[in-house]
Amino acid sequence: MRRLVSFPVEWACGILISSVRKNGEPREERFELPFDGAVVEYWGQDYTPLAPLSVRISANYASDDIVTRVSLSGAFSLPCSRCLAETGIAIEGDMRYLFTLRDTVDAPDGDTDAIRLDGFRAELEMSPYIWETLILNLPEGALCKEDCKGLCPVCGRDRNARDCGCASDDSDPRLRVLKSLL
Ligand SMILES: [Zn+2]
Ligand SMILES: [Zn+2]
């Protein structure tokens, strides 16, 4: 299985700078980005895409800089943190990036990242920023249900399916090891 730890090269999401007008409505582009069977790897685990990533990018000028806003939504599945059953999650992300040719940038506000361009270019390639917006909004874990009983620490069975009858000892496993040594 192909694992993505960065955006796939097939994601070409350029915003033509000449299409961004100095005054007026923000330039808006929409992308449906496929994963082509690859999974996203982050936090040391796999997130299986259940749908293409829906992305909306808007761009407008703020004096001589271009401010872009990346909004995205997606659906993934990942193993339940307690019982490991694949669990579907919906994610949303929203980040702002300011592109500038200036040497020094005043932080626009806490929610906007400033990116210094090293020279004039015709297009802003947004794939790295879409990727960043995606992974920063992936949850570290998920629960298949709020009261998931998890796997039995004694026999390893899924305690949601049936009660395995093992002595229920939910204490800290490290303490159990200590006890067994004493
Ligand atoms: Zn579970
Ligand atoms: Zn058990």
Side-chain angles (χ1 to χ4, degrees):
M1 197 181 350
R2 190 161 68 109
R3 288 193 169 78
L4 299 172
V5 293
S6 179
F7 65 92
V9 286
E10 307 86 77
W11 287 8
C13 303
I15 300 282
L16 262 185
I17 291 180
S18 61
S19 74
V20 182
R21 283 177 296 170
K22 280 271 181 188
N23 298 300
E25 292 288 292
R27 169 81 190 163
E28 202 171 283
E29 294 272 2
R30 284 167 191 271
F31 302 94
E32 290 288 313
L33 300 174
F35 291 92
D36 294 323
V39 300
V40 172
E41 185 184 329
Y42 196 64
W43 296 108
Q45 66 185 351
D46 291 343
Y47 297 79
T48 306
L50 302 175
L53 194 63
S54 284
V55 180
R56 193 181 74 226
I57 294 175
S58 67
N60 59 277
Y61 272 97
S63 58
D64 285 332
D65 305 323
I66 294 181
V67 178
T68 61
R69 178 175 174 186
V70 177
S71 309
L72 56 79
S73 61
F76 294 84
S77 83
L78 72 160
C80 169
S81 304
R82 291 184 196 152
C83 74
L84 306 179
E86 279 296 312
T87 302
I89 51 157
I91 68 140
E92 307 265 330
D94 193 73
M95 303 258 296
R96 283 182 183 78
Y97 298 93
L98 175 142
F99 294 90
T100 183
L101 287 166
R102 290 178 290 148
D103 287 339
T104 51
V105 190
D106 326 312
D109 60 72
D111 294 331
T112 308
D113 271 2
I115 292 123
R116 202 178 152 261
L117 300 173
D118 48 15
F120 176 81
R121 57 189 68 185
E123 211 172 52
L124 297 173
E125 179 49 56
M126 296 302 294
S127 299
Y129 309 105
I130 294 171
W131 180 262
E132 182 175 81
T133 303
L134 166 63
I135 58 169
L136 290 180
N137 285 283
L138 289 173
E140 197 170 346
L143 291 179
C144 64
K145 53 187 177 190
E146 207 54 51
D147 59 347
C148 171
K149 297 194 186 91
L151 302 178
C152 169
V154 180
C155 71
R157 283 207 187 89
D158 182 355
R159 290 191 293 193
N160 297 304
R162 71 191 170 95
D163 189 358
C164 53
C166 296
S168 77
D169 180 0
D170 285 329
S171 62
D172 187 323
R174 288 164 299 184
L175 286 181
R176 283 205 306 277
V177 171
L178 255 183
K179 265 188 224 158
S180 71
L181 289 176
L182 293 173

